[in-house]
Each structure stands twice: as structure tokens, then as C-alpha cells.
């Protein structure tokens, strides 16, 4: 099974302009993501719409492709990048993994988990979830910025929502985490090439617009999303404040390794 990881990276960001080039532990963030993912797949490629990011990736000898600045989502950028790379190399890959460019601490177990989903021939798309634990607290469960997922018996996603799902009728909200396993969506996706081409050609759907979750468009159109449960949650970086926390986290990791 040939696997390609594509890392979409935009310079423009409302909350953190230039985020992919922000320095983390002496390296641009995009370099840390690339170096973490590259050994785990057959090929890793950064997809960008900015010459500064393009030059930075070439500067550390990474593979990079320039894409349109008009894409509405990272998924669209991944599709354009895959098409260009596949045509240039004359290779069709079996699986495309979409790795966010602001996830420098992505774990090898997460990459392997989404790859394993494609051992099932009928998998169109794969993603990850993490159980909410009691120590996470009710505030984390109720947070609308943290989408929840309900799963079917064959580990397929039935629905994603910013609301808490399922709703526990007749149970006090303070007891929900004691009575039910709730799953938090981790936004790492992998696709078969034909599935990626199909979803990027789909118009927006009512549920997608209502919840502002593009994966609902795929479900509304009958796509099958297979889910793996992991207990690892990486440190995403959306703001300069997140970068400061990531810097501290990186230093702690280095100290822990030094003490082994």
C-alpha cells in the first residue's frame, strides 16, 4: 500500500499570520511537521499558496508544491497538490493522508491508525477520535469548538456535531461522563484518491452549513468514514499563545528524553 502525506500550509491566518514559518525549538513549524511525518509514509509533500513557505520548505530540502490561493478548504488544497504530484511522478498512491501544518507533535501511532483503516477494502475515508475522560470535565465536553462523533458497530462515523451526542435523556448532565463514552474528533483525515476527488467536487450540503463541519457533506452524500479510537491528543497551534505553550511542551519533551 503506497501512502502519501500532504501537508496544507497557508501563510494568511486571521489569528496567526505566518504560522507555518513561526519558529518552534529553532525550526520553522512546517519543518517540524514535515520531519515528523516523512519517515512514516512513502512520500510527504507540503502544499502551499505562498512563496515564503515554498522557499522555506525547499530550504530544508523538503518536497513542496504550489497551489491556488483560492481554495476554500485545506481538503481542496490537498486534492490539487495530490493531482500535481501524482501526474509529475507518474504514480498513483493508494492512500492520501491530510496532515495539518500546525500539528508539530503529531504521533506516529496516529498516522499508523489511519493507515490501518484502509486494510478494509470498503473504506473511503478514515479519521480518528479520542474518548473524553471524566478528568477532562463537562466544560470540555460541552465546548462547541470540539466536535463530537457517534460511531456505528463497524467503527464507521454516523454523525459529527458541535453539540454533545448522544444526548442522555433522563440523566443529569453532571453525570454524563460517568454514564456514556463520548468521542472527540481528531482532525486527521486519510482518503482513497477517488474518494478525495469525489468529495472536493461536491457542493455544500444543509448539515454541513448548519454545523460548519465539512465531513457532514461526505456523510450526506453516502460516503463511508471509518474511525479508529486512539488515546493520544497532540498539541495544535492556532494562536501565538498556543505557540508559547508548544515551546514549553517541546522543552519538557527534551528534558524527559534527557532523563531516560
Amino acid at each position: 500500500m503506497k501512502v502519501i502525506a500532504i501537508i496544507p500550509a497557508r501563510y494568511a491566518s486571521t489569528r496567526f499570520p505566518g504560522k507555518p514559518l513561526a519558529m518552534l525549538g529553532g525550526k520553522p513549524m512546517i519543518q517540524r511537521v514535515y520531519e515528523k511525518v516523512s519517515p512514516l509514509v512513502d512520500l510527504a509533500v507540503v502544499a502551499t499558496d505562498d512563496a515564503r513557505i515554498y522557499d522555506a520548505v525547499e530550504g530544508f530540502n523538503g518536497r513542496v508544491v504550489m497551489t491556488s490561493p483560492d481554495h476554500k478548504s485545506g481538503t481542496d488544497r490537498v486534492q490539487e497538490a495530490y493531482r500535481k504530484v501524482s501526474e509529475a511522478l507518474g504514480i498513483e498512491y493508494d492512500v492520501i493522508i491530510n496532515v495539518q501544518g500546525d500539528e508539530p507533535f503529531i504521533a506516529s501511532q496516529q498516522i499508523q491508525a489511519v493507515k490501518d483503516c484502509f486494510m478494509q477494502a470498503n473504506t473511503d475515508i478514515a479519521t480518528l477520535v479520542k474518548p473524553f475522560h471524566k478528568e477532562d470535565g463537562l466544560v470540555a465536553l460541552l465546548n462547541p469548538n470540539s466536535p463530537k462523533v457517534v460511531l456505528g458497530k463497524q467503527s464507521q462515523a454516523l454523525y459529527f456535531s458541535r453539540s454533545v451526542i448522544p444526548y442522555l435523556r433522563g440523566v443529569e448532565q453532571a453525570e454524563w461522563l460517568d454514564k456514556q463514552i463520548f468521542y472527540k474528533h481528531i482532525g486527521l483525515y486519510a482518503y482513497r484518491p477517488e474518494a478525495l476527488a469525489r468529495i472536493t467536487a461536491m457542493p455544500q450540503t444543509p448539515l454541513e452549513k448548519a454545523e460548519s463541519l465539512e465531513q457532514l457533506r461526505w456523510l450526506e452524500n453516502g460516503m463511508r468514514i471509518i474511525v479508529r479510537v486512539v488515546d493520544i491528543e497532540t498539541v495544535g497551534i492556532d494562536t501565538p499563545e498556543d505557540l508559547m505553550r508548544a515551546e514549553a511542551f517541546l522543552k519538557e519533551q527534551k528534558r524527559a528524553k534527557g532523563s531516560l
Side-chain angles (χ1 to χ4, degrees):
M1 185 169 69
K2 297 192 295 295
V3 180
I4 182 172
I6 298 181
I7 308 166
R10 295 174 61 247
Y11 191 91
S13 170
T14 303
R15 289 187 288 177
F16 196 168
K19 181 169 58 173
L21 301 184
M23 300 301 288
L24 176 61
K27 294 181 180 180
M29 191 190 318
I30 193 64
Q31 182 175 354
R32 289 202 169 274
V33 178
Y34 185 91
E35 290 177 349
K36 199 73 178 286
V37 173
S38 189
L40 307 175
V41 294
D42 296 291
L43 182 68
V45 180
V46 174
T48 188
D49 60 356
D50 190 275
R52 290 162 289 190
I53 296 172
Y54 188 98
D55 292 343
V57 177
E58 283 205 323
F60 61 76
N61 295 317
R63 186 181 287 272
V64 59
V65 61
M66 188 68 79
T67 56
S68 168
D70 300 324
H71 290 307
K72 295 180 179 179
S73 72
T75 310
D76 295 327
R77 192 174 309 282
V78 168
Q79 166 62 5
E80 182 191 354
Y82 173 72
R83 189 181 70 250
K84 286 184 173 180
V85 171
S86 177
E87 290 175 357
L89 298 179
I91 299 174
E92 283 289 336
Y93 289 83
D94 300 297
V95 176
I96 304 159
I97 304 179
N98 179 351
V99 180
Q100 299 302 310
D102 58 2
E103 290 278 357
F105 302 109
I106 191 166
S108 59
Q109 299 97 310
Q110 293 174 311
I111 298 294
Q112 188 60 50
V114 293
K115 287 166 64 175
D116 288 346
C117 293
F118 292 90
M119 300 304 290
Q120 300 180 44
N122 62 349
T123 301
D124 294 320
I125 304 166
T127 192
L128 303 179
V129 298
K130 176 183 178 295
F132 283 94
H133 298 296
K134 187 172 182 180
E135 56 267 28
D136 295 326
L138 193 59
V139 172
L141 180 64
L142 297 175
N143 182 2
N145 294 318
S146 179
K148 274 65 71 174
V149 192
V150 287
L151 309 180
K153 290 186 177 181
Q154 296 179 333
S155 297
Q156 79 276 24
L158 298 178
Y159 192 71
F160 296 79
S161 182
R162 296 186 182 278
S163 299
V164 180
I165 48 175
Y167 177 87
L168 300 191
R169 184 180 181 185
V171 179
E172 291 291 332
Q173 198 174 66
E175 299 178 13
W176 281 6
L177 285 167
D178 295 317
K179 304 293 186 180
Q180 176 73 30
I181 298 176
F182 296 92
Y183 292 106
K184 175 181 182 178
H185 183 221
I186 297 174
L188 177 68
Y189 289 109
Y191 327 83
R192 295 199 188 277
E194 56 272 22
L196 179 59
R198 182 180 168 193
I199 64 179
T200 52
M202 293 174 180
Q204 283 192 308
T205 54
L207 289 176
E208 176 190 7
K209 291 177 180 178
E211 298 245 24
S212 190
L213 295 172
E214 68 173 334
Q215 60 269 37
L216 292 176
R217 181 197 325 164
W218 315 340
L219 291 180
E220 284 188 86
N221 281 278
M223 304 291 284
R224 181 178 174 86
I225 304 177
I226 294 298
V227 177
R228 284 293 180 270
V229 179
V230 297
D231 210 21
I232 302 170
E233 186 172 0
T234 55
V235 181
I237 300 171
D238 294 320
T239 66
E241 291 74 25
D242 290 340
L243 182 63
M244 293 174 63
R245 287 190 286 271
E247 193 75 52
F249 181 73
L250 183 63
K251 290 178 181 178
E252 184 59 35
Q253 279 190 329
K254 290 180 178 179
R255 280 196 294 269
K257 288 180 180 179
S259 64
L260 294 178

